[in-house]
């Protein structure tokens, strides 16, 4: 089963950010080594004397991957919508990772503005990837607004805490069996990503855990393997945990076996 | 006249957003623009007038998560 967003097939379930890398070369090497086929990018103010964005754009084009621009840092519907429109022209894509942020300390999604902005952007022809909490009510509103992908946070952006609310994540997967679900943010270790994939999530989007690793290239490969392993495990079907021990070696024919007279 | 470009007070003689971008040296750059909070497509910069105290955003691709 392949991964598709809005009818477009994506060749890897590892989606990666492009920020915080030690250098553009390491960013490029890590993306290639990880096998990621979709990267997130942003729009930022450009000073003519520096022209920082122009070189970055050339680097991204060379990677030849799908590009998902974000609206990071936007706190109002208006800011997010205008930023999305600027991103659509800049990156020549109608895909947008929609972020409306409630609070600078937690970077928690502002879900009321998120739903409103999602509706405006979907009506304007965008294909919206909402960065959201795992709240089912919000998820339903986003789907109603036209979102065909949902991206709940695992934990706050950059925190590396993994899946802070695994029960809610499981519930969300069960509640939306047919909508691509991406864990976006909070992933710190490959084991966190593997766990999300074992739950049946379709993909994992992360940035800091790879970019800030001692060796981002090696960490990119590590995440790719963890995500592949987690996905295979989900497809294979995990055993149900049980509270008591259960022998794996056959009991019948055990040497010296005697029926315990007490039982 | 005095306008805000990316949050900084700037003096300009440009009459349109297109003239402003050229004057700033962005003629061939990959940029996107907004005027007073509203997106202005590249095709409309030439006919978008700018006025005293306008707030202009000029953005470009950048790393993101």
């Amino acid at each position: 089963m392949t991964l598709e967003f809005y009818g477009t097939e994506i060749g890897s379930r590892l989606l990666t950010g492009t920020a915080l890398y030690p250098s553009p070369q390491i960013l490029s090497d890590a993306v290639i080594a990880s096998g990621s086929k979709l990267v997130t990018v942003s729009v930022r103010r450009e000073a003519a004397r520096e022209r920082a964005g122009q070189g970055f754009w050339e680097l991204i084009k060379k990677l030849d991957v799908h590009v998902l621009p974000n609206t990071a840092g936007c706190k109002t519907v208006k800011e997010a919508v205008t930023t999305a429109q600027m991103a659509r022209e800049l990156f020549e894509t109608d895909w947008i990772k929609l972020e409306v942020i409630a609070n600078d300390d937690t970077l928690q999604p502002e879900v009321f503005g998120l739903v409103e902005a999602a509706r405006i952007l979907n009506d304007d022809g965008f294909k919206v990837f909402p960065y959201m909490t795992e709240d089912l009510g919000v998820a339903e509103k986003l789907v109603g607004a036209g979102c065909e992908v949902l991206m709940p946070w695992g934990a706050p952006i950059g925190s590396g805490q993994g899946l802070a609310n695994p029960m809610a994540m499981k519930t969300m997967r069960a509640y939306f069996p047919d909508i691509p679900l991406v864990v976006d943010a909070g992933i710190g270790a490959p084991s966190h990503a593997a766990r999300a994939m074992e739950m049946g999530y379709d993909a994992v989007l992360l940035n800091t855990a790879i970019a800030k690793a001692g060796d981002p290239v090696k960490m990119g490969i590590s995440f790719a393997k963890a995500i592949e392993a987690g996905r295979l495990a989900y497809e294979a079907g995990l055993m149900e945990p049980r509270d008591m021990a259960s022998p794996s070696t056959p009991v019948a024919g055990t040497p010296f076996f005697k029926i315990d007279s007490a039982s | 006249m005095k306008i805000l470009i990316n949050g900084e007070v700037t003096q300009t003689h440009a009459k349109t957003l297109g003239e402003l971008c050229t004057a700033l040296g962005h003629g061939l750059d990959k940029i996107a623009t907004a005027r007073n909070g509203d997106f202005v497509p590249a095709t409309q910069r030439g006919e978008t007038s700018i006025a005293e105290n306008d707030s202009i955003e000029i953005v470009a691709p950048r790393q993101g998560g």
Side-chain angles (χ1 to χ4, degrees), chain A residues 19-20 44 70-75 79 97-111 114 130-134 151-160 184-186 207-208, chain B residues 64-65:
Chain A
L20 303 173
R44 285 294 179 262
N70 69 27
T71 63
C74 290
K75 291 198 173 136
E79 286 173 12
K97 173 179 160 180
L98 181 60
E99 296 185 37
V100 183
I101 298 298
N103 178 294
D104 281 335
D105 292 324
T106 62
L107 299 179
Q108 170 124 10
E110 197 282 271
V111 295
L114 179 70
Y131 161 66
M132 56 186 291
T133 61
E134 67 278 14
M151 302 210 299
W153 64 349
I157 295 171
S159 70
D184 174 15
N207 191 153
T208 312

Side-chain angles (χ1 to χ4, degrees), chain A residues 1-2 9 26 55 58-59 61 89 97 111 115 120-121 126 156 192 239 246 251:
Chain A
M1 210 163 57
T2 55
E9 193 174 322
I26 294 175
E58 292 304 315
L59 182 151
K61 277 196 294 188
E89 184 178 271
K97 173 179 160 180
V111 295
V115 171
I120 292 167
L121 292 171
F126 281 88
H192 301 154
M239 67 170 280
S246 173
V251 175

